[in-house]
Amino acid sequence: MTTQLTPTPVASPLVSPRSGVAAAAGRWVGALAGAIAIFSVLLLAKGADPLATLGDMVVSMTTGASLEQIVIKAAPFVLAAMAVVLPARAGLANVGGEGQVIIGAVAGAGVGLVVSGPAALPLMLVAGALGGALWAGLAVALRVTVGVNEAVTTLLLNYVALDVMLYLIYEPWKDANGSGQPATPPLAIEQRLPLLGGTAVHAGIILALLAAAAVWLTLRHTAFGFRLAVTGGNPEAARRAGLPVARLLLTAMLLGGALAGLAGVIHLAGIEFKLRPGLTTNIGYIAFLAAWLARHNPLPAVAAAFMLAAITVGGDSLQLDSGLPAATVNVLMALILLAVLGWTAKRSPS
């Protein structure tokens, strides 16, 4: 009896995890260097000295007051970035973070107008989360019922949310005892977030980091996160496997909207203290960039949110020290986004 031997396949050489991390880090460094190089050319075209301008930005970011401002700005960025990351796992594009942040702030301010005392702040936080969730729910309801793309509806709802806020601060909620500018009455002391350790940093950063950790744990270690990933990867296969796709989409977007609404409340109760035009300073849009920079991974999105917050704070020097337009910092953010997305993608072997 002849025994037929099967040749043992030769194992292909493996790439060590350390070399993979080094390669990824190299791509990131190269992407950021490329973005800064292009930005430097634009600065030269505007008649500014790139070395001096970028040096002023770095110096302005590293003072004690600036570091506090970076943390303050990062708090709503982190929450609003999670509002993009969570639905993205289910294959949804939540471009409506800005509107959800606004509605969250509006809902929180509305509660603040009628509730006082120790219960006011917790109720404001709950109202803001519910407001953001309901605003996001409008878009996902259209997606699951009539098939309207949520990227379009969430984007358009941003402008509706702004109009809602402007109507309220110009008409029924306008501060009758104010200076005549459109704004609500300021929040009472007990309606504001407490400060941390004698600094200007408010407790909203703790809520933001806890929320980011909860999103990471949910997506990585729960059955719900696994179902979202399956749905986002192939909705039809998920449906045939018996997963409740419509309910998963609805839940993911509602949770995302709640996080964005919470971002609006902590921005209101932590730094603004009243509704006014320009309240959010593009929180939702910047957070959208942070989520995309991190390719919708929760923990990297936190780092990206802090980086963009630092650029936002440092960008003040572009106007004050270099006399450049306010939009210059947005150009830098866009260049970083394009460079990172374009140059850090894993290359398939040829």
Side-chain angles (χ1 to χ4, degrees):
M1 182 175 181
T2 305
T3 303
Q4 189 174 15
L5 298 177
T6 303
T8 303
V10 179
S12 59
L14 297 177
V15 178
S16 69
R18 183 174 299 178
S19 63
V21 171
R27 288 194 298 268
W28 269 84
V29 171
L32 294 175
I36 292 173
I38 297 172
F39 186 64
S40 297
V41 173
L42 297 177
L43 291 177
L44 283 172
K46 294 294 292 183
D49 180 355
L51 290 178
T53 300
L54 294 173
D56 289 340
M57 277 190 68
V58 173
V59 170
S60 68
M61 293 177 189
T62 54
T63 65
S66 293
L67 292 175
E68 291 183 3
Q69 287 302 312
I70 289 170
V71 177
I72 291 169
K73 285 185 176 292
F77 288 174
V78 168
L79 281 167
M82 294 304 108
V84 180
V85 167
L86 188 58
R89 186 59 59 95
L92 295 169
N94 183 13
V95 195
E98 184 74 5
Q100 294 150 24
V101 168
I102 291 173
I103 292 299
V106 166
V111 170
L113 290 174
V114 297
V115 179
S116 59
L121 182 57
L123 290 176
M124 288 169 60
L125 294 171
V126 171
L130 289 175
L134 291 175
W135 203 250
L138 295 175
V140 74
L142 291 172
R143 161 70 184 268
V144 299
T145 55
V146 293
V148 180
N149 189 288
E150 75 284 349
V152 175
T153 49
T154 52
L155 178 62
L156 295 178
L157 282 170
N158 289 340
Y159 301 99
V160 179
L162 179 60
D163 286 339
V164 168
M165 184 184 74
L166 291 177
Y167 164 73
L168 292 172
I169 63 178
Y170 273 95
E171 295 292 341
W173 290 3
K174 185 176 181 180
D175 186 4
N177 300 317
S179 61
Q181 297 298 318
T184 57
L187 297 177
I189 297 299
E190 66 271 13
Q191 296 172 327
R192 303 178 184 184
L193 286 167
L195 302 181
L196 300 178
T199 67
V201 179
H202 56 73
I205 187 62
I206 297 177
L207 294 176
L209 294 177
L210 288 175
V215 170
W216 178 78
L217 288 170
T218 298
L219 295 181
R220 189 175 178 88
H221 295 290
T222 67
F224 174 69
F226 175 76
R227 294 188 185 103
L228 287 184
V230 173
T231 301
N234 192 326
E236 184 58 33
R239 190 175 292 107
R240 294 186 179 185
L243 293 181
V245 172
R247 189 172 68 196
L248 287 168
L249 295 177
L250 182 64
T251 304
M253 188 65 93
L254 288 175
L255 290 174
L259 291 169
L262 189 60
V265 179
I266 69 167
H267 186 62
L268 171 72
I271 192 68
E272 291 287 345
F273 308 134
K274 57 185 174 183
L275 297 180
R276 61 172 183 82
L279 168 81
T280 62
T281 59
N282 296 324
I283 288 172
Y285 296 119
I286 294 174
F288 186 81
L289 295 183
W292 275 84
L293 277 172
R295 287 187 169 84
H296 304 122
N297 293 310
L299 298 186
V302 173
F306 273 89
M307 182 186 71
L308 293 179
I311 292 174
T312 302
V313 172
D316 292 340
S317 69
L318 295 176
Q319 302 176 65
L320 300 176
D321 300 330
S322 302
L324 293 169
T328 307
V329 68
N330 296 331
V331 174
L332 177 57
M333 288 185 187
L335 288 173
I336 291 174
L337 176 70
L338 293 174
V340 169
L341 291 183
W343 297 344
T344 65
K346 293 181 179 178
R347 304 290 188 261
S348 59
S350 55

